[in-house]
Amino acid sequence: MITEDEVRRIALRLPEAQASAHFDNADLRVRNKIFAAFPAGAGTVMLRLDPQEQAALLAEDPATFGAPDNHWGRQGWTSARLDRVDPGQLSELLTEAWRRRAPRRLVAAFDATRPGEGGVG
């Protein structure tokens, strides 16, 4: 099982990612835009994903991934159960959530430093 602290540690390696909170929920942001959140006491992390990626995850593994049945869910907010999600997959999903919220120039600079993402390597 991955913990909230481990999720934070992974996410905070992303450029300009910061830990913050809104209401009573801890969250992760890039330039003040939330890309992941921890609903209090839920044992999940909510990720801002592309709605098509969300649909694929829900179809592939509904025991691990879920989505609220409201406008947040339709925007791509997807829950991942920390007691079930694969840490490697979660790392990739955190990066994708960060990419959706980060400014294009920041994403381009990040990609330029990564092998296989258009950068050197």
Side-chain angles (χ1 to χ4, degrees):
M1 177 174 138
I2 191 165
T3 67
E4 284 186 21
D5 286 339
E6 290 168 319
V7 174
R8 275 187 204 85
R9 196 168 26 258
I10 293 166
L12 292 175
R13 292 179 188 149
L14 296 165
E16 297 188 32
Q18 297 180 325
S20 188
H22 64 286
F23 301 102
D24 289 328
N25 298 306
D27 64 44
L28 296 159
R29 301 172 185 229
V30 58
R31 298 222 181 145
N32 209 31
K33 291 185 179 183
I34 300 170
F35 67 92
F38 301 97
T44 62
V45 59
M46 295 293 294
L47 304 160
R48 177 72 185 267
L49 302 175
D50 177 87
Q52 289 77 23
E53 185 169 21
Q54 176 194 65
L57 290 169
L58 296 177
E60 175 185 312
D61 190 356
T64 301
F65 299 101
D69 188 23
N70 59 27
H71 69 281
W72 298 109
R74 288 186 294 279
Q75 290 178 1
W77 283 101
T78 306
S79 66
R81 287 182 45 185
L82 298 178
D83 65 341
R84 292 188 50 90
V85 69
D86 175 76
Q89 182 180 30
L90 183 58
S91 179
E92 291 175 16
L93 293 171
L94 281 164
T95 301
E96 287 308 308
W98 173 88
R99 291 164 91 46
R100 289 190 55 73
R101 305 298 279 164
R104 280 186 247 164
R105 288 184 185 182
L106 188 58
V107 172
F110 176 67
D111 288 347
T113 66
R114 298 180 66 201
E117 300 289 335
V120 296

